[in-house]
């Protein structure tokens, strides 16, 4: 009975010990992925902002500007690109919809973002675009990779249609979570006007005909949960100007404000990320370490049982068993345990 | 010999279960019927 038990324990020990690296380095990279059908929205606000009135072409102070950022996964398109590229991809259709204090649209910029569901690397297929312009992303956008590292990443800037480094600036605590703080400063850059303008009849072409162009600068800040790679908070100190191409007139501020996530969305995001990180930790920490410890414990138990089975009875001819007179003393591999049939055959009867 | 067989069974079982789970993979789900928002939602 003890021999069978120790063999079962040995088998389980090997099972759990092998499971540990397999889960961490084989299963996790293949199972951890952003769901293709994800849908999420976040609201950001800039209070006491400056906004251009396109009717008068003068900047004005407003109490609040809201930005509604929606991301919606297109599962059918992701499957089509999967088949074409052989990669597990996510296709996000996004919309950054900017609303003025009166609830009217200020601008809207749609975009399509195609990326690897596991690594978050951009995939240049499926019509990735910003406001209808084809783009080729480098690095990340909206979200960082699983197990985010303490290093700089490339972050895609939808306004400039280009990627630039976003710098890791340290580890902080945010609402009870240990997060990595990233910061990117985009210097004054000439950027396209949104194709949908807030005033009827005003288009990027009419603005260009007036001899104006749009320039923008921003300081972008993210507090990122390093386990899931999801930002739990984001802010931007954002400025836009309409500049005259002749350079003779002073630029007009189109927007200036400190954009922050609305408090209820911060709470919601922190709650969501706190639960999602458990699933990632299960595969990167809890299961690998738990199964390794269990494997070592089971192996120890199996060895202990085997050693007890092999231990010779005290006194060779006496001892407990001898005293009872039930069996002759047995020892070595013959007694019980992990002996081979050959070994047993060679043992004396 | 029995110990080797027992260990091999444990190893094969571990590989089999991990390969099976990764082959099945998590579900993709379906495209959400929710629209891209053009109004400010009252709450998340």
């Amino acid at each position: 009975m003890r021999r069978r038990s120790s063999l079962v324990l040995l088998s389980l020990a090997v099972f759990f010990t092998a499971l540990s690296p397999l889960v961490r380095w084989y299963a996790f990279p293949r199972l951890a992925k952003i769901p293709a059908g994800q849908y999420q929205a976040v609201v950001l606000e800039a209070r006491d902002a400056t906004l251009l009135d396109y009717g008068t072409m003068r900047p004005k102070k407003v109490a609040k500007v809201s930005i509604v950022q929606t991301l919606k996964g297109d599962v059918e398109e992701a499957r089509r690109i999967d088949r074409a590229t052989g990669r597990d991809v996510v296709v996000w259709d996004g919309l950054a919809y900017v609303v003025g204090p009166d609830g009217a649209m200020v601008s809207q910029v749609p975009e399509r973002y195609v990326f690897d569901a596991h690594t978050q690397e951009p995939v240049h297929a499926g019509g990735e675009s910003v406001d209808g312009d084809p783009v080729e992303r480098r690095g990340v956008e909206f979200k960082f990779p699983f197990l985010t590292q303490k290093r700089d990443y490339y972050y895609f800037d939808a306004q400039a249609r280009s990627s630039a480094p976003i710098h890791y600036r340290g580890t902080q605590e945010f609402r009870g979570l240990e997060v990595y703080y990233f910061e990117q400063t985009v210097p004054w850059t000439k950027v396209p006007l949104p194709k949908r303008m807030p005033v009827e009849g005003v288009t990027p072409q009419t603005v260009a005909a007036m001899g104006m162009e749009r320039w923008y600068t921003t300081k972008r800040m993210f507090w990122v949960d390093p386990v899931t790679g999801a930002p739990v908070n984001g802010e931007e100190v954002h400025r836009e100007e309409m500049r005259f191409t002749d350079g003779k007139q002073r630029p007009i501020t189109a927007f200036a404000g400190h954009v922050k996530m609305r408090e209820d969305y911060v709470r919601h995001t922190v709650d969501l990320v706190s639960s999602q990180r458990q699933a990632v930790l299960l595969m990167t920490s809890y299961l690998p370490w738990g199964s390794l410890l269990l494997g070592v414990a089971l192996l120890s138990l199996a060895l202990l049982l085997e050693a007890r089975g092999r231990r010779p009875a005290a006194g060779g001819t006496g001892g407990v068993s001898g005293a009872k007179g039930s069996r002759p003393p047995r020892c070595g591999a013959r007694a019980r345990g992990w002996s081979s049939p050959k070994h047993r055959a060679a043992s004396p009867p | 010999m029995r110990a080797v067989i027992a260990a091999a069974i444990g190893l094969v079982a571990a590989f089999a279960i991990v390969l099976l789970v990764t082959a099945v993979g998590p579900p993709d789900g379906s495209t959400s019927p929710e629209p891209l928002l053009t109004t400010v939602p009252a709450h998340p």
Side-chain angles (χ1 to χ4, degrees):
Chain A
M1 183 61 193
R2 197 175 279 168
R3 176 171 59 194
R4 181 172 292 175
S5 302
S6 59
L7 285 172
V8 170
L9 285 175
L10 174 69
S11 191
L12 287 171
V14 172
F15 173 80
F16 283 110
T17 308
L19 203 59
S20 172
L22 282 171
V23 166
R24 175 62 187 84
W25 286 293
Y26 184 84
F28 172 70
R30 288 162 179 81
L31 290 177
K33 60 184 270 190
I34 297 162
Q38 188 163 348
Y39 177 92
Q40 65 185 65
V42 64
V43 177
L44 302 107
E45 290 177 340
R47 293 191 175 269
D48 300 322
T50 304
L51 194 62
L52 176 64
D53 182 340
Y54 280 93
T56 61
M57 288 307 280
R58 288 177 184 277
K60 60 179 182 182
K61 275 279 182 188
V62 294
K64 185 174 73 177
V65 173
S66 301
I67 298 130
V68 186
Q69 176 72 63
T70 320
L71 295 171
K72 178 176 172 175
D74 186 334
V75 178
E76 290 71 31
E77 188 65 6
R79 287 193 184 126
R80 191 189 65 75
I81 299 170
D82 282 356
R83 287 192 293 272
T85 62
R87 294 179 72 172
D88 203 356
V89 304
V90 174
V91 178
W92 272 351
D93 287 322
L95 180 67
Y97 195 88
V98 184
V99 181
D102 53 355
M105 186 266 285
V106 172
S107 74
Q108 56 174 310
V109 178
E111 58 181 296
R112 171 162 280 199
Y113 178 28
V114 187
F115 59 95
D116 188 290
H118 304 277
T119 65
Q120 194 104 24
E121 280 175 38
V123 174
H124 306 306
E128 54 174 332
S129 62
V130 174
D131 205 13
D133 298 331
V135 293
E136 195 163 287
R137 288 175 173 82
R138 180 182 176 192
V140 295
E141 189 183 4
F142 301 118
K143 183 191 169 298
F144 288 69
F146 292 108
L147 306 182
T148 303
Q149 297 171 7
K150 294 177 179 179
R151 65 171 176 86
D152 298 352
Y153 286 84
Y154 270 89
Y155 191 89
F156 181 77
D157 184 289
Q159 297 279 355
R161 320 291 205 249
S162 63
S163 300
I166 188 163
H167 304 288
Y168 167 76
R169 296 285 193 218
T171 302
Q172 299 180 6
E173 189 167 319
F174 184 81
R175 310 277 172 105
L177 285 176
E178 188 183 272
V179 295
Y180 292 173
Y181 172 61
F182 288 90
E183 196 177 283
Q184 182 189 48
T185 300
V186 178
W188 281 107
T189 308
K190 184 184 165 187
V191 293
L193 278 155
K195 291 194 171 64
R196 286 283 303 277
M197 300 290 282
V199 177
E200 197 68 37
V202 177
T203 64
Q205 291 75 27
T206 58
V207 174
M210 291 163 67
M212 300 176 92
E213 53 192 24
R214 181 171 170 244
W215 286 70
Y216 136 99
T217 182
T218 197
K219 180 183 168 189
R220 180 171 285 132
M221 294 158 275
F222 283 121
W223 287 262
V224 177
D225 167 44
V227 176
T228 58
V232 290
N233 189 29
E235 293 183 15
E236 273 195 41
V237 181
H238 186 118
R239 288 198 67 185
E240 291 177 29
E241 285 182 356
M242 301 303 293
R243 294 185 182 179
F244 292 88
T245 48
D246 60 11
K248 291 176 183 169
Q249 299 176 65
R250 292 187 62 182
I252 303 167
T253 301
F255 176 83
H258 190 154
V259 182
K260 298 177 179 179
M261 271 174 75
R262 206 170 74 186
E263 176 56 30
D264 54 349
Y265 277 90
V266 173
R267 284 200 303 270
H268 175 73
T269 309
V270 168
D271 290 346
L272 189 69
V273 170
S274 298
S275 64
Q276 286 175 341
R277 74 197 306 269
Q278 296 304 318
V280 178
L281 285 173
L282 182 73
M283 302 206 68
T284 56
S285 181
Y286 303 154
L287 262 180
W289 282 110
S291 62
L292 183 64
L293 290 175
L294 188 58
V296 170
L298 288 169
L299 183 65
S300 306
L301 198 59
L303 289 171
L304 185 71
L305 271 182
E306 182 62 17
R308 286 181 67 182
R310 290 182 181 215
R311 189 182 302 152
T317 54
V320 176
S321 60
K324 286 181 178 175
S326 55
R327 288 181 188 174
R330 296 187 297 179
C331 64
R334 162 72 172 84
R336 55 179 67 89
W338 300 345
S339 57
S340 67
K342 186 179 170 186
H343 194 161
R344 283 206 307 276
S347 300
Chain B
M1 186 62 191
R2 288 183 178 182
V4 172
I5 292 170
I9 288 170
L11 194 64
V12 168
F15 269 94
I17 204 163
V18 167
L19 289 173
L20 184 70
V21 169
T22 51
V24 173
D28 283 338
S30 56
T31 303
S32 170
E34 297 287 319
L36 297 172
L37 300 180
T38 54
T39 53
V40 182
H43 52 78

